[in-house]
Amino acid sequence: MNDIVKAAGSRIRQVMPVFDWGRDYNRDTAVNDLVAAVIVTIMLIPQSLAYALLAGLPPEMGLYASILPLVAYALFGTSRALAVGPVAVVSLMTATAVGNIAQTGTPEYMAAAITLAFMSGLFLLALGAFRLGFLANFLSHPVIAGFITASGIIIAASQLKHILGVQANGHNLYELVASLISHLPETNPVTLVIGVASTAFLFWVRKGLKPLLLARGLGPKSADILAKAGPVAAVAVTTLIAFTFGLGERGVKLVGDVPQGLPPLTIPSFSPDLWASLIGSAVLISVIGFVESVSVAQTLAAKKRQRINPDQELIGLGAANVASGMTGGYPVTGGFARSVVNFDAGAETPAAGAMTAVGLAIATIVLTPLLAFLPQATLAATIIVAVLSLVDFSILKKTWTYSKADFIAVAATILVTLFLGVELGVSAGVALSVLIHLYNSSKPHMAIVGQVAGTEHFRNVLRHDVVTDPAILTLRVDESLYFANARYLEDRVYDMVARRPELKHVILMCPAVNAIDMSALESIEAINERLKSLGVTFHMSEVKGPVMDRLKRSDFFHHMTGKVFLTQYQAVCELGGRLEGRVRSAPRAAQ
């Protein structure tokens, strides 16, 4: 009975990590979490409003998406520093997805965004339940970096209309720039001054305020808090100016009335047509959000020698998105900037996120009436400053130097995202990454190897001074064998054998072969039969245990003309004696 109770308790702690870290929660930990929560709350209020506008939604939906989702993640997530909420890239993807279905600002648009969050949550929960987090690996990090860089540029360009005070639309960089240029004569001077001043102030706050405060003798933590409160200061000052001077009457676009009160309970739409229209976007948003979130969580966890569970992270993020969809929000994920702030501020458990949710809930009750006079240009400046830090063209130089294939994938992702749209961009990146992988693995590296004199080691004849036996050809395959490269192996072996009339033995050396599928097995059987007809014996060496186990399930060994050797040295000793003193051979066909 005790074993059953222990197993049940372990399972509960696995599904709801709050019961794990909550056992050791104490007063000191609570104080640290509370301090971090205060700092993140200050940072999140203007960010939530800004990102909601970026998604084409009312500003209060950004606040709603930052309250209950934080609580849900605190219950189910495994990262102790990840701060969940609206982020720039997901907000842009939401605007793109929902904008294809409904007109911005309509009830149908908001309902579609809420439904998108709910669908994203269900998809993430399903991935977590079936432990399918590995599917996110199809998005390579260089492709993600390229996508985020291009998205950052599009987001910044999309906010210039608020800085200028003009109307401009477009789903890609070309459309946005063309629209901005055509409306440039309509620029509102007052809006432009507010937007430029806010942007300049926020850039200065990000880089220069903290060093200045430290130089004036302020403590590091206090200086950090004040620096993080920069966007709040910009919001407060510009709101006061707009109210005092009646800037709304002078053409400056203001946020307007924001509903006061806690997030409402909402029911997502279950229209089959709407779900069919949103399913592709929900999958992309879920995968992009998960990859970004897990990358941040793992980085922060490593700094404290903690670990996260990627499959449980799917559950945590899924619960957060379902919560967002049930309380008037839109898709959320773990944000890089606010998570780093949360970590640096001393957050020790996910309870810091729950405390942040309480702070934001208070803000929706107390502060929302004050936001009516907030200029949209200020929120646009907040977004521009935040997203430009995501733009990193160095990934192009790094991939060009290291891997031309990765460079092609990254460059294509950036270009397609910029000029054709975000969904096509990330889809192109994934497709190219998979195709390049298949192409590379379809022509695996293979090397003819010989013995390093005086040792039992065998190396590539083109890279090392080795000795070989003309009667023995040893081909080392540096890739698992499967349907995409099986025929390539056959062609290489037949070509090499045709060039060696003295050949008596072919040894397939397999130290790097982790799997052989059915197509590859048929190719190996064909090689065995072809060599047999030529009077050449086929052998294998250094075959891994799991591969041997699978080969034994077939009848291949009943027809194999040679043997399977434990080591390559054992093979050449038995087949050709010692190699010292024999002629070195370096066939040009080797790689």
Side-chain angles (χ1 to χ4, degrees), residues 20 67 122 152 269 295 299 312 342 349 351 419 431 468 488 532 540:
D20 186 15
I67 297 177
L122 292 182
S269 171
S295 298
T299 300
Q312 186 60 33
N342 198 36
T349 72
F419 296 105
T468 61
Y488 182 73
K532 180 180 178 181
M540 299 177 75

Side-chain angles (χ1 to χ4, degrees), residues 540-559:
M540 299 177 75
S541 71
E542 302 189 11
V543 182
K544 292 185 176 180
V547 178
M548 278 292 294
D549 293 341
R550 180 161 290 187
L551 290 176
K552 287 177 180 177
R553 297 175 197 167
S554 71
D555 62 352
F556 171 67
F557 291 128
H558 297 295
H559 306 290

Side-chain angles (χ1 to χ4, degrees), residues 233-357:
V235 167
V237 171
T238 55
T239 300
L240 181 61
I241 292 173
F243 172 75
T244 303
F245 295 99
L247 297 186
E249 299 174 1
R250 302 178 63 178
V252 176
K253 291 187 177 180
L254 307 177
V255 168
D257 293 332
V258 177
Q260 187 177 10
L262 295 174
L265 291 177
T266 53
I267 300 176
S269 171
F270 291 95
S271 165
D273 291 338
L274 180 61
W275 280 55
S277 300
L278 291 176
I279 185 64
S281 298
V283 170
L284 286 177
I285 287 173
S286 300
V287 175
I288 290 287
F290 172 64
V291 171
E292 182 179 355
S293 179
V294 167
S295 298
V296 175
Q298 287 176 333
T299 300
L300 298 179
K303 292 183 178 181
K304 288 191 175 182
R305 297 190 177 183
Q306 298 168 350
R307 63 180 298 274
I308 67 164
N309 183 338
D311 289 321
Q312 186 60 33
E313 282 298 289
L314 286 166
I315 301 293
L317 291 173
N321 276 281
V322 169
S324 185
M326 300 293 288
T327 55
Y330 68 101
V332 298
T333 192
F336 176 76
R338 72 175 69 105
S339 296
V340 172
V341 170
N342 198 36
F343 179 86
D344 291 341
E348 295 192 25
T349 72
M355 294 176 183
T356 301

